[in-house]
């Protein structure tokens, strides 16, 4: 079985990080146009550079201190936080809790101007030595940034999953998938309590499919339990339509699948607890 981690279409964010230094004086946003401040455990950082970049809907702000510490915020232009990372000069790394991040870290997108690409944010919360363990060592950070984003071209355009959950718009911010033969299980997260999962065959034909909890090809909704700190799966029944399935990279065996979905999810422990998922669209790389 093969496990792959995807950050907000964010093999894009790898490009954000790797090119930030070389482009900070040119194609990255000018430091003269960027302002901000942050503190770590109550001590104010002395910022030397702050850059911001955007690729499609995703933004990364990276701030480096004079002592060599680096802080990065990753989020989308709708205000959903992907993650916050802090790497200090001694080689220690800290990150926001990786599940239901909005419940454990306060992030506010004050504004984003589409024409000027100017973004304003403020934030406060804990970053953990182990992002999957709330009991691990942590740093408390807070701050704000006002920056202009440099435009970046994504490696693959339009990769996305979004839907409405109980009528509220939901955007994925990150995810991972595991492969077993031709079946791929993909788990998509936003910064809220919900996780949307898909299981499909990478050679699935263009057609409409109905599914239940026992189906091979299906969608699943899970909700994060803040007491047990686990995602609890609901029983989902509905349909999805594959509108396209095409080869992206024949040498690597990669395909792009697009489609739509809708379903009803029922808590197996409480039949009255039902969640509706509508207006779903997806474009995934397998």
């Amino acid at each position: 079985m093969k496990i792959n981690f995807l950050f907000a279409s964010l093999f894009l964010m790898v490009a954000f990080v790797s090119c930030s230094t070389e482009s900070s004086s040119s194609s990255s946003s000018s430091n003269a146009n960027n302002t901000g401040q942050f503190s770590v455990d109550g001590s104010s950082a002395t910022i030397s550079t702050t850059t911001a970049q955007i690729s499609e809907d995703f933004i990364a702000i990276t701030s480096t201190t004079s002592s060599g510490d680096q802080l990065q915020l990753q989020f989308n232009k709708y205000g959903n936080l992907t993650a916050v990372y802090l790497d200090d000069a001694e080689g220690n790394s800290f990150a926001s809790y990786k599940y239901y991040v909005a419940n454990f870290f306060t992030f506010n997108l004050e504004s984003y101007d589409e024409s000027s690409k100017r973004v304003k944010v403020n934030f406060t919360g804990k970053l953990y030595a182990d992002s999957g363990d709330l009991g691990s060592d942590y740093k408390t950070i807070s701050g704000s940034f006002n920056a202009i984003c440099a435009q970046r071209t994504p490696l693959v355009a339009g990769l996305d999953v979004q839907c409405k959950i109980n009528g509220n718009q939901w955007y994925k911010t990150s995810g991972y998938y595991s492969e077993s033969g031709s079946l791929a299980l993909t788990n998509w997260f936003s910064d809220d309590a919900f996780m949307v999962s898909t299981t499909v065959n990478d050679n699935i034909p263009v057609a409409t499919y109905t599914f239940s909890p026992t189906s091979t090809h299906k969608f699943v909704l899970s909700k994060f339990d803040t007491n047990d700190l686990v995602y609890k799966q609901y029983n989902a029944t509905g349909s999805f339509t594959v509108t396209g399935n095409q080869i992206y990279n024949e040498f690597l065996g990669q395909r792009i699948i697009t489609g739509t979905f809708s379903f009803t999810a029922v808590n197996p422990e409480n039949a009255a607890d039902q969640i509706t998922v509508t207006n779903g669209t997806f474009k995934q790389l397998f």
Side-chain angles (χ1 to χ4, degrees):
M1 178 172 288
K2 178 182 176 184
I3 303 291
N4 298 271
F5 291 89
L6 313 173
F7 295 102
S9 301
L10 287 182
F11 29 92
L12 301 177
M13 286 305 180
V14 173
F16 283 172
V17 175
S18 64
C19 67
S20 61
T21 300
E22 66 182 75
S23 60
S24 60
S25 62
S26 54
S27 59
S28 280
S29 51
S30 170
N31 289 311
N33 294 321
N34 300 335
T35 60
Q37 54 80 31
F38 72 91
S39 64
V40 180
D41 289 338
S43 299
S44 296
T46 302
I47 296 174
S48 57
T49 62
T50 297
T51 59
Q53 302 181 56
I54 183 169
S55 182
E56 294 189 320
D57 293 343
F58 289 94
I59 298 170
I61 297 177
T62 304
S63 187
T64 304
T65 71
S66 58
S67 60
D69 300 337
Q70 185 177 83
L71 177 71
Q72 185 175 91
L73 290 81
Q74 300 177 2
F75 55 96
N76 66 20
K77 66 182 183 181
Y78 308 109
N80 302 120
L81 180 64
T82 302
V84 182
Y85 299 100
L86 175 66
D87 296 314
D88 66 24
E90 287 72 44
N92 302 304
S93 298
F94 299 84
S96 51
Y97 189 59
K98 64 182 179 180
Y99 304 120
Y100 194 1
V101 61
N103 188 64
F104 300 95
F105 192 95
T106 300
F107 172 82
N108 179 40
L109 175 62
E110 296 180 43
S111 63
Y112 173 70
D113 185 274
E114 195 72 57
S115 58
S116 68
K117 298 294 188 288
R118 180 171 289 279
V119 61
K120 298 179 183 180
V121 302
N122 62 71
F123 53 92
T124 183
K126 294 179 179 179
L127 304 182
Y128 299 90
D130 180 347
S131 63
D133 182 4
L134 293 173
S136 63
D137 291 340
Y138 65 86
K139 301 284 187 180
T140 300
I141 68 164
S142 62
S144 62
F145 292 110
N146 182 336
I148 296 176
C149 302
Q151 189 74 54
R152 294 295 177 208
T153 301
L155 299 178
V156 184
L159 296 181
D160 194 22
V161 177
Q162 59 178 270
C163 60
K164 288 188 176 182
I165 298 179
N166 283 341
N168 299 313
Q169 187 62 49
W170 186 91
Y171 300 97
K172 65 91 177 168
T173 55
S174 62
Y176 70 88
Y177 70 86
S178 58
E179 295 176 352
S180 180
S182 61
L183 281 177
L185 169 64
T186 312
N187 296 310
W188 296 111
F189 305 90
S190 188
D191 62 356
D192 62 8
F194 297 109
M195 176 175 70
V196 175
S197 304
T198 64
T199 302
V200 298
N201 184 303
D202 59 5
N203 290 315
I204 190 169
V206 172
T208 296
Y209 302 85
T210 58
F211 64 88
S212 67
T214 59
S215 299
T216 299
H217 299 139
K218 61 186 176 181
F219 279 70
V220 175
L221 185 75
S222 301
K223 188 175 182 181
F224 193 77
D225 187 314
T226 54
N227 293 317
D228 297 337
L229 299 180
V230 296
Y231 281 94
K232 295 188 174 179
Q233 184 173 304
Y234 282 53
N235 292 326
T237 303
S239 65
F240 67 94
T241 299
V242 176
T243 57
N245 186 340
Q246 61 186 25
I247 295 174
Y248 169 69
N249 186 314
E250 188 170 8
F251 178 74
L252 296 177
Q254 293 176 316
R255 306 182 70 89
I256 291 178
I257 301 178
T258 58
T260 61
F261 61 92
S262 63
F263 58 88
T264 299
V266 180
N267 186 337
E269 299 178 357
N270 179 8
D273 179 13
Q274 299 190 11
I275 300 171
T276 59
V277 177
T278 58
N279 299 91
T281 60
F282 65 94
K283 180 178 181 180
Q284 296 180 227
L285 178 66
F286 291 87

